[in-house]
Amino acid sequence: MKHLLTLEQLSKEELLDILNLADQLKFQKKNGIPHELLKGKTLGMIFQKSSTRTRVSFEVGMHELGGQALFLSSRDLQIGRGEPIQDTARVLSRYLDGIMIRTFEQKEVEDLAKYGSIPVVNALTDYCHPCQVLADLMTIREFKGAFEGLKCCYIGDGNNMANSIIVGVLRLGMKMSIACPKRYEPDAHILEFAKEFPGMFEMTEDPLVAAKDADVLFTDVWASMGQESEKAEREKIFKGIYQINDSVMAVAKPDAMVQHCLPAHREEEITNKVFEEHADEIFEEAENRLHAQKAVLVKLMA
């Protein structure tokens, strides 16, 4: 593994390898065991989309691994003023040991990896969110003990989160069901990927069908960053239907867990009641961003 650009690039064995290391690093942190595996290394963090969890988890992660992180907003970089990404990639490769980028277009991440000579981590694009889903998978195993035999369900917009969840869940041998409105389906490339797993993937417009007997329920906001102009239109389509609520929980397994990548718009994609009933799982998932990303950084940069 030279980069983490998408989850599709990872085999089942590579996914499990990252998750196993994440568990080990979490244990070491909880028990005060030093793990400065990236001592003297520097990670450049390019943010064209702002974030709470991404910035804090990567910055703290690098510190705990003995390295340092540089926050680079688009306002601070010449790419914000028209410098080609390939030039930025070649310059930063001479200063840094790795690059993390959170941006809009997947092509920007791919170009950074293509023209640079250091590892690149995709911390989110409009196409996918691999780091978040690694944390989700880590959390599922913590609460459920294993992946085999589980059914996961995603309700809402077929966005970057849905794209990565489908890949991670299917790759690890779980069943995947998604409920989304027409015109808001996951990326066509992801739906092609799902065809490689016959009998393991289902897509419907009915959340109650998707959630039946689910062990794990996912959702995300109806309008992601950059889609603010679509918010009113999306609310008309999603409101009252594409929500994790008591009706959805009633058809899932009695011990079903809930995951949300945050920030959550309570009473939109998830009710406040369900959110609070599953807050322990949701905030463990948020914490696991730190541990999963540290594992990725160690795999790429150590």
Side-chain angles (χ1 to χ4, degrees), residues 157 159 220-228 230-231 234 265 268:
D157 182 31
N159 59 12
D220 192 11
V221 294
W222 296 334
S224 299
M225 194 178 299
Q227 298 173 333
E228 289 80 6
E230 303 174 25
K231 192 173 189 300
R234 284 170 173 263
H265 293 175
E268 291 185 10

PDB file of all heavy atoms in Angstrom, residues 157 159 220-228 230-231 234 265 268:
ATOM      1  N   ASP A 157     -28.802   9.701   1.632  1.00  0.00           N
ATOM      2  CA  ASP A 157     -28.200  10.099   0.368  1.00  0.00           C
ATOM      3  C   ASP A 157     -27.075   9.141  -0.018  1.00  0.00           C
ATOM      4  O   ASP A 157     -26.226   8.799   0.811  1.00  0.00           O
ATOM      5  CB  ASP A 157     -27.647  11.526   0.523  1.00  0.00           C
ATOM      6  CG  ASP A 157     -27.045  12.063  -0.756  1.00  0.00           C
ATOM      7  OD1 ASP A 157     -27.519  11.673  -1.840  1.00  0.00           O
ATOM      8  OD2 ASP A 157     -26.102  12.872  -0.677  1.00  0.00           O
ATOM      9  N   ASN A 159     -24.130   9.177  -0.981  1.00  0.00           N
ATOM     10  CA  ASN A 159     -23.002  10.106  -1.086  1.00  0.00           C
ATOM     11  C   ASN A 159     -21.664   9.405  -0.886  1.00  0.00           C
ATOM     12  O   ASN A 159     -21.555   8.189  -1.000  1.00  0.00           O
ATOM     13  CB  ASN A 159     -23.186  11.245  -0.067  1.00  0.00           C
ATOM     14  CG  ASN A 159     -23.272  10.714   1.369  1.00  0.00           C
ATOM     15  OD1 ASN A 159     -22.979   9.562   1.647  1.00  0.00           O
ATOM     16  ND2 ASN A 159     -23.678  11.575   2.289  1.00  0.00           N
ATOM     17  N   ASP A 220     -26.348   9.536   7.191  1.00  0.00           N
ATOM     18  CA  ASP A 220     -25.527  10.746   7.055  1.00  0.00           C
ATOM     19  C   ASP A 220     -26.469  11.889   6.704  1.00  0.00           C
ATOM     20  O   ASP A 220     -27.647  11.677   6.373  1.00  0.00           O
ATOM     21  CB  ASP A 220     -24.462  10.543   5.967  1.00  0.00           C
ATOM     22  CG  ASP A 220     -23.387  11.633   5.976  1.00  0.00           C
ATOM     23  OD1 ASP A 220     -23.343  12.427   6.943  1.00  0.00           O
ATOM     24  OD2 ASP A 220     -22.605  11.702   5.014  1.00  0.00           O
ATOM     25  N   VAL A 221     -25.958  13.104   6.732  1.00  0.00           N
ATOM     26  CA  VAL A 221     -26.776  14.283   6.432  1.00  0.00           C
ATOM     27  C   VAL A 221     -27.343  14.191   5.011  1.00  0.00           C
ATOM     28  O   VAL A 221     -26.755  13.567   4.134  1.00  0.00           O
ATOM     29  CB  VAL A 221     -25.969  15.581   6.594  1.00  0.00           C
ATOM     30  CG1 VAL A 221     -25.581  15.783   8.055  1.00  0.00           C
ATOM     31  CG2 VAL A 221     -24.731  15.589   5.706  1.00  0.00           C
ATOM     32  N   TRP A 222     -28.478  14.835   4.803  1.00  0.00           N
ATOM     33  CA  TRP A 222     -29.125  14.803   3.489  1.00  0.00           C
ATOM     34  C   TRP A 222     -28.381  15.662   2.464  1.00  0.00           C
ATOM     35  O   TRP A 222     -28.367  15.344   1.282  1.00  0.00           O
ATOM     36  CB  TRP A 222     -30.563  15.291   3.604  1.00  0.00           C
ATOM     37  CG  TRP A 222     -31.426  14.399   4.455  1.00  0.00           C
ATOM     38  CD1 TRP A 222     -31.253  13.062   4.695  1.00  0.00           C
ATOM     39  CD2 TRP A 222     -32.596  14.784   5.179  1.00  0.00           C
ATOM     40  NE1 TRP A 222     -32.246  12.597   5.519  1.00  0.00           N
ATOM     41  CE2 TRP A 222     -33.088  13.617   5.831  1.00  0.00           C
ATOM     42  CE3 TRP A 222     -33.283  15.983   5.336  1.00  0.00           C
ATOM     43  CZ2 TRP A 222     -34.246  13.643   6.627  1.00  0.00           C
ATOM     44  CZ3 TRP A 222     -34.428  16.015   6.122  1.00  0.00           C
ATOM     45  CH2 TRP A 222     -34.903  14.847   6.761  1.00  0.00           C
ATOM     46  N   ALA A 223     -27.779  16.751   2.917  1.00  0.00           N
ATOM     47  CA  ALA A 223     -27.021  17.630   2.012  1.00  0.00           C
ATOM     48  C   ALA A 223     -25.608  17.777   2.568  1.00  0.00           C
ATOM     49  O   ALA A 223     -25.420  18.336   3.653  1.00  0.00           O
ATOM     50  CB  ALA A 223     -27.686  18.991   1.884  1.00  0.00           C
ATOM     51  N   SER A 224     -24.628  17.282   1.831  1.00  0.00           N
ATOM     52  CA  SER A 224     -23.242  17.340   2.276  1.00  0.00           C
ATOM     53  C   SER A 224     -22.631  18.706   1.996  1.00  0.00           C
ATOM     54  O   SER A 224     -23.230  19.552   1.315  1.00  0.00           O
ATOM     55  CB  SER A 224     -22.427  16.252   1.566  1.00  0.00           C
ATOM     56  OG  SER A 224     -22.918  14.976   1.877  1.00  0.00           O
ATOM     57  N   MET A 225     -21.414  18.916   2.524  1.00  0.00           N
ATOM     58  CA  MET A 225     -20.703  20.165   2.294  1.00  0.00           C
ATOM     59  C   MET A 225     -20.538  20.410   0.797  1.00  0.00           C
ATOM     60  O   MET A 225     -20.125  19.520   0.057  1.00  0.00           O
ATOM     61  CB  MET A 225     -19.336  20.112   2.979  1.00  0.00           C
ATOM     62  CG  MET A 225     -18.644  21.450   3.104  1.00  0.00           C
ATOM     63  SD  MET A 225     -17.050  21.309   3.975  1.00  0.00           S
ATOM     64  CE  MET A 225     -17.573  20.702   5.569  1.00  0.00           C
ATOM     65  N   GLY A 226     -20.907  21.616   0.342  1.00  0.00           N
ATOM     66  CA  GLY A 226     -20.851  21.934  -1.076  1.00  0.00           C
ATOM     67  C   GLY A 226     -22.196  21.772  -1.770  1.00  0.00           C
ATOM     68  O   GLY A 226     -22.353  22.147  -2.932  1.00  0.00           O
ATOM     69  N   GLN A 227     -23.175  21.200  -1.036  1.00  0.00           N
ATOM     70  CA  GLN A 227     -24.514  20.997  -1.606  1.00  0.00           C
ATOM     71  C   GLN A 227     -25.553  21.895  -0.929  1.00  0.00           C
ATOM     72  O   GLN A 227     -26.752  21.620  -1.005  1.00  0.00           O
ATOM     73  CB  GLN A 227     -24.925  19.525  -1.455  1.00  0.00           C
ATOM     74  CG  GLN A 227     -24.026  18.558  -2.190  1.00  0.00           C
ATOM     75  CD  GLN A 227     -24.356  17.109  -1.885  1.00  0.00           C
ATOM     76  OE1 GLN A 227     -24.883  16.776  -0.824  1.00  0.00           O
ATOM     77  NE2 GLN A 227     -24.051  16.229  -2.819  1.00  0.00           N
ATOM     78  N   GLU A 228     -25.091  22.961  -0.298  1.00  0.00           N
ATOM     79  CA  GLU A 228     -26.007  23.815   0.460  1.00  0.00           C
ATOM     80  C   GLU A 228     -27.144  24.374  -0.400  1.00  0.00           C
ATOM     81  O   GLU A 228     -28.268  24.537   0.077  1.00  0.00           O
ATOM     82  CB  GLU A 228     -25.227  24.974   1.105  1.00  0.00           C
ATOM     83  CG  GLU A 228     -24.325  24.567   2.264  1.00  0.00           C
ATOM     84  CD  GLU A 228     -22.996  23.958   1.829  1.00  0.00           C
ATOM     85  OE1 GLU A 228     -22.712  23.943   0.609  1.00  0.00           O
ATOM     86  OE2 GLU A 228     -22.238  23.504   2.707  1.00  0.00           O
ATOM     87  N   GLU A 230     -28.745  22.900  -2.593  1.00  0.00           N
ATOM     88  CA  GLU A 230     -29.737  21.849  -2.833  1.00  0.00           C
ATOM     89  C   GLU A 230     -30.530  21.490  -1.575  1.00  0.00           C
ATOM     90  O   GLU A 230     -31.407  20.628  -1.616  1.00  0.00           O
ATOM     91  CB  GLU A 230     -29.045  20.573  -3.339  1.00  0.00           C
ATOM     92  CG  GLU A 230     -28.221  20.736  -4.596  1.00  0.00           C
ATOM     93  CD  GLU A 230     -27.463  19.460  -4.941  1.00  0.00           C
ATOM     94  OE1 GLU A 230     -27.911  18.368  -4.532  1.00  0.00           O
ATOM     95  OE2 GLU A 230     -26.415  19.558  -5.607  1.00  0.00           O
ATOM     96  N   LYS A 231     -30.212  22.140  -0.456  1.00  0.00           N
ATOM     97  CA  LYS A 231     -30.758  21.713   0.838  1.00  0.00           C
ATOM     98  C   LYS A 231     -32.284  21.690   0.848  1.00  0.00           C
ATOM     99  O   LYS A 231     -32.905  20.706   1.271  1.00  0.00           O
ATOM    100  CB  LYS A 231     -30.236  22.619   1.952  1.00  0.00           C
ATOM    101  CG  LYS A 231     -30.517  22.092   3.346  1.00  0.00           C
ATOM    102  CD  LYS A 231     -29.819  22.937   4.397  1.00  0.00           C
ATOM    103  CE  LYS A 231     -29.915  22.312   5.779  1.00  0.00           C
ATOM    104  NZ  LYS A 231     -31.273  22.137   6.269  1.00  0.00           N
ATOM    105  N   ARG A 234     -33.665  18.888  -1.352  1.00  0.00           N
ATOM    106  CA  ARG A 234     -33.398  17.584  -0.762  1.00  0.00           C
ATOM    107  C   ARG A 234     -34.318  17.321   0.435  1.00  0.00           C
ATOM    108  O   ARG A 234     -34.782  16.187   0.645  1.00  0.00           O
ATOM    109  CB  ARG A 234     -31.930  17.495  -0.331  1.00  0.00           C
ATOM    110  CG  ARG A 234     -30.964  17.288  -1.498  1.00  0.00           C
ATOM    111  CD  ARG A 234     -29.520  17.445  -1.070  1.00  0.00           C
ATOM    112  NE  ARG A 234     -28.604  17.087  -2.143  1.00  0.00           N
ATOM    113  CZ  ARG A 234     -28.017  15.893  -2.273  1.00  0.00           C
ATOM    114  NH1 ARG A 234     -28.237  14.958  -1.361  1.00  0.00           N
ATOM    115  NH2 ARG A 234     -27.211  15.642  -3.276  1.00  0.00           N
ATOM    116  N   HIS A 265     -27.577  16.071  11.997  1.00  0.00           N
ATOM    117  CA  HIS A 265     -28.700  17.010  12.011  1.00  0.00           C
ATOM    118  C   HIS A 265     -29.876  16.275  12.647  1.00  0.00           C
ATOM    119  O   HIS A 265     -30.646  15.597  11.960  1.00  0.00           O
ATOM    120  CB  HIS A 265     -29.037  17.479  10.600  1.00  0.00           C
ATOM    121  CG  HIS A 265     -27.959  18.310   9.981  1.00  0.00           C
ATOM    122  ND1 HIS A 265     -28.012  18.761   8.684  1.00  0.00           N
ATOM    123  CD2 HIS A 265     -26.777  18.789  10.472  1.00  0.00           C
ATOM    124  CE1 HIS A 265     -26.926  19.473   8.406  1.00  0.00           C
ATOM    125  NE2 HIS A 265     -26.164  19.489   9.482  1.00  0.00           N
ATOM    126  N   GLU A 268     -33.579  15.249  11.491  1.00  0.00           N
ATOM    127  CA  GLU A 268     -33.586  15.135  10.030  1.00  0.00           C
ATOM    128  C   GLU A 268     -33.259  13.676   9.672  1.00  0.00           C
ATOM    129  O   GLU A 268     -34.161  12.851   9.597  1.00  0.00           O
ATOM    130  CB  GLU A 268     -32.612  16.127   9.388  1.00  0.00           C
ATOM    131  CG  GLU A 268     -33.078  17.570   9.528  1.00  0.00           C
ATOM    132  CD  GLU A 268     -32.196  18.559   8.786  1.00  0.00           C
ATOM    133  OE1 GLU A 268     -31.316  18.137   8.004  1.00  0.00           O
ATOM    134  OE2 GLU A 268     -32.379  19.782   8.986  1.00  0.00           O
TER     135      GLU A 268
END
